[in-house]
Structures are given as C-alpha cells and as structure tokens.
Amino acid sequence: MSRVEPLSRQWLDVGDGHLLHLLQYGNPNGIPLLFLHGGPGSGCHTSDLALFDLQRFRVLLLDQRGAGLSQPSARLAYNDVLHLLTDIERLRHWLGLERWCLAGGSFGATLGLIYSGLCPQRVLAQCYWGVFVPSTAGRSWLYGSQGAAKRFPVDYRGWRDSVSGASEAELLQAYAQALQTEERAVTAWCRWERILAHPWTLLPADYSITDRSCALIENHFACNHYFEAYTLMRATLNRWPQSTQLLQGEEDWVCPTFLLQQLLAEQQPSVMLQLIRGGHHSLLDTRMQQAVIAAIAQMADNIEPLMTTGVTE
C-alpha cells in the first residue's frame, strides 16, 4: 500500500520505566480501534494498516512494553500480562474513549480476549485471528518435542541444538541467557517461529534488533508460563462480548486449531469461530489476510449504525 501519514505520534508514560509508542491513523471521527500486536514483543508495523479501511476506522497502533519503538527496547522488568492489560485500559482513559473495537492476532488476540472478559462493557466489537492459547500445552506445542517438532523435525533440531538443554524448560532457560549476547541464538529462535508461521517460504538470512527484542520478550513470557494468562483466559471466557469474531487457519502450526477448539468447548454460549481452509498463522498467507480483511469490514458494517446513535459517547 502507498505511504499513509499518521494522524499523530505520541508517547505514553505508563510508569515502571516504560514509555509506550502510539501511532494513530485513519479517520479521526471513525470507529476507534486498538490493534494488538502479537509476539509478545513483535511491535506494530505500518503494513498492519492494510487490514483496515482508514476511511471508516481510527486505528491505534500501540507498541507494548519493550516492543517496537517503545522504550527501553526489550526491557523485561515490569513486563507481564497484568501490566500489558493495565496499559490497554490506561490508554483508553488517556484517549477519553468510552468504548472501542479491538483487533489482533496471535498473542495480541490472547491479550484482547482477556481484556474483553475483564472489561466487556468497554468493547464494541472485536476480531482476532491465529489465537494463541497460553496453556502448558500451548507452550509445549511450540517448544517441546511432541508438538510442532513432530511436523518439522529437521527445523526443530536446528532450534534445539542452538543451545544446550534436554527438556523444554532447560531449552527455554538456555535461550534466556543466549538471546542476550549470541546472534546465533536470535537467528535460531526467529527462524523456528517463522517456519511455523509461514512454512515453505524463503526466510530472511539476517535478523534485526527488533527481532532480538521480540525473541527476548517471547522467551521471557514462555519461561514464566505466560504469567498465568491461561488462567485469566479461562476465567473470563464466558464474559467475552457476543460481538467477537475468531478466525483460525486450519494449518496454523504456531497456534494449532485444536487447542482453541478445546478452550471454546468450555464456553457457554460459544463465540463464532471461522476456520480458514489451508490457512497458516501469518497474514502473509493471502487466504488468512483476505479472510481477516473481510471480517474487519463486517465488524465496521455492524458498528457504524451504533456510532451514529452516539453509543460510544
């Protein structure tokens, strides 16, 4: 897409030594929508704007703690699920918004769903894709020997053998140290993730500083079992707004469909889950991208009549 100028660039001091970077795009009078990036730690990118009709939405791109352009980069102190959730609500207050829409993928979907269960009255509607279930099984699928490793054994060995460790926990702790100083470890971590996100594609030979910060934050959350995010997710799932749309690729090897289906089986009533045939985790997959764009457009169709009645005021 052609270059789009932001409405504003702002910094949000959330305390604890963290300064969050916020860009706003689109229609200043449009539907307010917070985009929740994944990772955790991946940061926002202007390419994410391709998902939205900027004539209809006021899109908020917030880099979470330590991610993207937020400062300090890759800071792990005071960087956990409860702090990230608090930052979301702090941002809403700071912007003076009564209600808003949410959208995001992977761990961003995890955060958004928990937030919507804690604060359902603040959510007009939400759309998520590639939902990460932060359970023990979700972590083991990614980093243990019996999950994604079974489907991509050669690539998993490359990830595993880049550090010293036998068990899943030992490998994650070894990466916690190696990612601080070893470029080889950053490359191995990022390569494994990207193979799962968009398999059978040409991967970059080099990785950037932002890739390192993302790897450090992802590892930090994994080592700490995602700070009990799964407990929060289960505790709040019956409070998710009915205006929730979930999309999951049938061939998502980062966040396998069966884990999300198991979680939704506990929900009464269950929100809509759309399975995308042949879809992968990454929105580089055109099947996933097109499905997400259509779902977000449908969300706008549903919300715009409410906007005209002043329901968000």
Side-chain angles (χ1 to χ4, degrees):
M1 63 183 294
S2 59
R3 178 176 172 82
V4 180
E5 292 299 322
L7 296 171
S8 65
R9 180 191 301 271
Q10 296 156 296
W11 297 89
L12 179 61
D13 188 343
V14 293
D16 307 318
H18 285 277
L19 196 63
L20 305 190
H21 181 253
L22 173 69
L23 287 170
Q24 299 194 50
Y25 287 90
N27 182 349
N29 299 311
I31 302 167
L33 181 144
L34 174 63
F35 177 78
L36 293 164
H37 67 71
S42 66
C44 294
H45 306 276
T46 54
S47 59
D48 298 321
L49 296 172
L51 302 174
F52 307 101
D53 182 341
L54 296 183
Q55 296 297 315
R56 308 176 80 182
F57 284 103
R58 172 188 172 191
V59 179
L60 312 170
L61 299 184
L62 179 72
D63 290 330
Q64 297 156 22
R65 295 187 179 213
L69 295 178
S70 290
Q71 297 297 324
S73 178
R75 185 165 190 254
L76 304 182
Y78 304 101
N79 196 342
D80 54 58
V81 166
L82 289 180
H83 280 96
L84 299 187
L85 291 167
T86 301
D87 291 343
I88 293 173
E89 186 64 353
R90 184 181 280 116
L91 174 64
R92 186 189 64 79
H93 278 283
W94 189 57
L95 294 173
L97 297 172
E98 185 67 22
R99 303 176 75 190
W100 54 1
C101 291
L102 304 174
S106 199
F107 191 81
T110 310
L111 272 183
L113 288 169
I114 295 172
Y115 172 83
S116 73
L118 294 171
C119 306
Q121 73 281 10
R122 301 303 180 193
V123 180
L124 283 165
Q126 55 187 355
C127 178
Y128 301 114
W129 53 92
V131 180
F132 176 63
V133 178
S135 60
T136 298
R139 191 184 85 160
S140 292
W141 173 269
L142 284 172
Y143 305 119
S145 60
Q146 301 302 307
K150 290 287 191 181
R151 183 163 289 271
F152 301 94
V154 174
D155 300 300
Y156 179 76
R157 284 198 296 272
W159 178 83
R160 181 196 65 195
D161 294 345
S162 293
V163 293
S164 298
S167 68
E168 173 188 332
E170 289 173 353
L171 288 166
L172 288 171
Q173 289 297 330
Y175 264 107
Q177 298 299 317
L179 288 170
Q180 297 285 346
T181 57
E182 297 178 23
E183 188 172 318
R184 177 187 177 209
V186 175
T187 299
W189 183 278
C190 294
R191 186 178 187 279
W192 173 238
E193 179 180 273
R194 290 179 184 178
I195 283 168
L196 299 184
H198 197 50
W200 308 297
T201 58
L202 184 64
L203 297 175
D206 300 313
Y207 294 90
S208 66
I209 293 174
T210 55
D211 289 321
R212 176 180 172 274
S213 65
C214 182
L216 281 164
I217 295 170
E218 284 180 344
N219 172 268
H220 169 64
F221 274 70
C223 284
N224 288 281
H225 298 276
Y226 304 100
F227 299 96
E228 301 301 322
Y230 184 58
T231 300
L232 283 171
M233 209 173 185
R234 292 187 66 201
T236 58
L237 62 84
N238 286 322
R239 287 167 52 84
W240 298 350
Q242 280 302 295
S243 54
T244 298
Q245 298 181 76
L246 304 180
L247 298 90
Q248 203 83 356
E250 289 184 336
E251 297 184 24
D252 187 331
W253 307 122
V254 177
C255 305
T257 301
F258 76 89
L259 290 177
L260 179 59
Q261 290 173 324
Q262 288 172 359
L263 177 68
L264 295 180
E266 302 179 24
Q267 189 181 50
Q268 296 294 333
S270 182
V271 301
M272 184 181 75
L273 172 61
Q274 180 183 354
L275 297 180
I276 309 303
R277 184 180 298 275
H280 296 306
H281 186 72
S282 170
L283 293 191
L284 292 174
D285 180 348
T286 56
R287 289 160 296 197
M288 285 301 298
Q289 185 186 61
Q290 290 170 3
V292 168
I293 289 172
I296 290 172
Q298 181 62 56
M299 181 169 68
D301 291 341
N302 296 337
I303 291 302
E304 278 177 332
L306 303 178
M307 295 284 292
T308 61
T309 64
V311 73
T312 62
E313 299 301 323

